[in-house]
Amino acid sequence: MILKITKLITASYSLKYLFIILAFSFQSAFSQTENKSYFFGHSLVNHSADQSTQNRSNIPDWMFLLAQQAGSDYSVDGQFNFLPLQELPAIYQWGFIDAPSARTNETNNDFGSWDYDNVIVTLANFIQQTSTPSQNAFCDQEYVEDCNEDPNALSSVEAVLRILDYSRDEEPGINFYIYENWPEFNGTFPPVSQTEEEQEFGAFYDYTRGEFHDWWITLQDEVLATRPDANVKLIPVGPILSDLFSDNGILSEIAATTLYEDSAPHGYPVLYFLTALIHYSAIYGEQPPLNFQFPDADLPAPIRIPDIVKNNYPSIVNFIWNSLQEYTFSNGESRVFLENQILSVDDLSIHTPKPIIYPNPGNGVFNLELSDAMVFPIDIKIVNTIGQLIYEVSITDHQSANINLDKKGTFFLKIIGDQYSDIVKLIVK
């Protein structure tokens, strides 16, 4: 493979595109350093069954470890049920291996006295194919054939509003997040062949970022239409994970049985870790620490995070951060980030358009074009699908470099600089 680095002269580019690429340099000034969260959740938030095994199959433990290594505070409480059935006033059911409770007095169950910064809610992942957000999805068993006949049934919108109104009454101005999870898997699990896995999970990921995602967008829109003055944001986990796991994703080589343990699908710690990276980015308004030290080196698989995730961790973090910038309303406002986490064009002092790499896929010869505005030096690294370093070079100016790799397959080209980082999947035919 020969990779040629040339100069790119760019006359203009969209401000939205510019913001997506440049947010890395400014994020820390807008992030929060303390966070008290309350989850109204279920097993796609907390699936840990045995803490004695250090099975961190939950979001809060990973959130705490990420915040701790970033020098921030994190504490959390929560309760378990489907959202229409969550108890109010809130109760305190959950405890974790690492993450501490926000309550310093366990006899005090007054929700409003603990100054929560955020409330996070999520819905069941099997109702999206049978109901819209405004249709009744949960009802008493006697009305199961037609939930709309149940006078006490709630739609998903009503279930969210119930928790939102309670939270705002207890803590006015509280930030409110809807956690978009991933859907139930209706295929064969575990897959009986590689071909079956590729086909069925390919369809699964397409649905997750398609109709399933559209359902959550509608939910957020309808909640905000009813409570336009509320801080209601979306944490779009499902579609971002789908992009990571799909054919062109950074983690496309990871097996489904490494991620999921059943067809619900509940996951192993790796799935909740990746989910926590998205939650952390959205709630703290910054990237998770790029030098994160994993606590599970001595733990067995599947409790230990797989090497492919650890080896590609900085690239995963960057991909998630870039992806979150894309979720906006029609007026350009972020669906994810709070207003004080959003940068205006006036805040930007660096103008670095994204590098162009072509042809990709290719036969081994790629052109990498860098902008005049690129700040040098930058490091170019090529790794294989399990994170092994194949080639690296440091670029000090707009020079050309030849990289020879006499192999076919999938590789990742990493571009790393003081004010810019990116990753591109390369396919050599």
Side-chain angles (χ1 to χ4, degrees):
M1 181 175 67
I2 301 174
L3 189 146
K4 181 182 179 183
I5 301 174
T6 59
K7 182 183 293 188
L8 171 65
I9 301 175
T10 305
S12 64
Y13 38 83
S14 73
L15 295 177
K16 176 183 176 183
Y17 190 54
L18 174 65
F19 165 73
I20 293 170
I21 301 303
L22 303 179
F24 303 112
S25 302
F26 304 94
Q27 59 188 322
S28 59
F30 296 90
S31 58
Q32 54 178 306
T33 58
E34 182 178 7
N35 182 277
K36 293 182 180 180
S37 288
Y38 190 98
F39 277 94
F40 291 89
H42 49 58
S43 57
L44 300 190
V45 175
N46 179 21
H47 183 51
S48 300
D50 184 1
Q51 294 187 2
S52 67
T53 65
Q54 293 187 296
N55 183 357
R56 297 179 176 89
S57 294
N58 67 75
I59 298 170
D61 275 333
W62 292 113
M63 285 284 288
F64 171 77
L65 293 171
L66 291 165
Q68 182 184 52
Q69 293 190 31
S72 300
D73 294 326
Y74 178 81
S75 56
V76 60
D77 296 303
Q79 66 182 46
F80 182 98
N81 216 326
F82 293 123
L83 196 63
L85 308 177
Q86 292 279 5
E87 291 193 38
L88 294 179
I91 58 176
Y92 297 85
Q93 294 178 308
W94 282 344
F96 301 97
I97 300 170
D98 305 293
S101 170
R103 294 189 301 159
T104 56
N105 179 353
E106 291 188 359
T107 64
N108 180 4
N109 292 331
D110 180 10
F111 186 92
S113 68
W114 295 115
D115 298 325
Y116 290 106
D117 299 293
N118 311 294
V119 163
I120 302 98
V121 302
T122 194
L123 277 298
N125 68 343
F126 51 81
I127 59 177
Q128 288 73 22
Q129 292 185 349
T130 58
S131 66
T132 68
S134 59
Q135 291 176 325
N136 294 339
F138 285 86
C139 53
D140 290 339
Q141 187 64 32
E142 63 180 295
Y143 298 102
V144 70
E145 296 298 326
D146 187 355
C147 281
N148 290 316
E149 294 297 320
D150 183 353
N152 298 314
L154 290 178
S155 70
S156 296
V157 172
E158 291 169 334
V160 172
L161 291 174
R162 173 175 173 260
I163 305 297
L164 174 61
D165 291 342
Y166 167 80
S167 303
R168 296 175 78 198
D169 287 343
E170 293 289 319
E171 188 66 49
I174 196 168
N175 301 319
F176 193 90
Y177 293 91
I178 298 172
Y179 159 33
E180 175 185 351
N181 48 56
W182 52 90
E184 191 173 42
F185 179 67
N186 294 317
T188 303
F189 193 90
V192 298
S193 68
Q194 180 67 30
T195 299
E196 182 180 73
E197 178 174 338
E198 291 175 356
Q199 291 176 345
E200 293 194 352
F201 274 93
F204 175 69
Y205 295 134
D206 286 343
Y207 170 63
T208 303
R209 59 191 166 207
E211 294 179 14
F212 184 78
H213 173 61
D214 293 342
W215 187 95
W216 293 89
I217 292 293
T218 301
L219 174 67
Q220 184 185 23
D221 288 345
E222 293 190 4
V223 169
L224 281 171
T226 307
R227 303 288 187 273
D229 61 330
N231 286 324
V232 178
K233 297 298 182 179
L234 182 70
I235 305 178
V237 169
I240 294 179
L241 291 183
S242 294
D243 287 340
L244 285 170
F245 301 149
S246 294
D247 288 344
N248 295 321
I250 299 170
L251 298 177
S252 61
E253 303 299 321
I254 199 167
T257 50
T258 301
L259 299 168
Y260 311 105
E261 60 176 279
D262 56 36
S263 62
H266 299 108
Y268 292 113
V270 58
L271 193 64
Y272 293 85
F273 169 68
L274 295 169
T275 299
L277 293 179
I278 302 170
H279 276 252
Y280 183 98
S281 300
I283 290 175
Y284 279 90
E286 66 178 19
Q287 287 182 296
L290 290 175
N291 59 347
F292 181 69
Q293 301 298 306
F294 290 85
D296 62 349
D298 298 328
L299 297 177
I303 299 173
R304 184 180 66 251
I305 301 300
D307 288 343
I308 187 174
V309 173
K310 293 180 178 179
N311 293 338
N312 288 286
Y313 171 75
S315 302
I316 294 168
V317 167
N318 288 342
F319 178 82
I320 289 170
W321 182 255
N322 277 344
S323 297
L324 289 173
Q325 320 302 320
E326 295 279 8
Y327 293 90
T328 60
F329 295 100
S330 58
N331 63 1
E333 179 186 339
S334 176
R335 287 184 176 272
V336 175
F337 297 104
L338 301 171
E339 280 67 26
N340 63 356
Q341 296 172 333
I342 299 301
L343 300 171
S344 68
V345 174
D346 293 337
D347 294 318
L348 301 177
S349 62
I350 303 171
H351 299 270
T352 309
K354 191 177 181 71
I356 297 174
I357 298 177
Y358 64 94
N360 189 21
N363 60 6
V365 179
F366 297 88
N367 294 319
L368 170 63
E369 296 184 347
L370 302 174
S371 164
D372 281 339
M374 184 72 72
V375 177
F376 293 91
I378 61 171
D379 292 328
I380 304 292
K381 296 183 179 182
I382 295 179
V383 300
N384 61 18
T385 55
I386 61 172
Q388 294 174 325
L389 182 65
I390 303 300
Y391 185 87
E392 65 179 330
V393 64
S394 181
I395 307 298
T396 57
D397 55 28
H398 286 98
Q399 62 185 352
S400 296
N402 293 328
I403 300 174
N404 296 300
L405 186 64
D406 190 19
K407 293 182 179 180
K408 295 181 180 181
T410 300
F411 304 89
F412 296 99
L413 184 143
K414 301 180 180 182
I415 304 168
I416 305 168
D418 289 340
Q419 298 179 343
Y420 184 84
S421 61
D422 204 354
I423 182 170
V424 177
K425 186 173 184 177
L426 298 177
I427 299 176
V428 183
K429 295 181 178 180

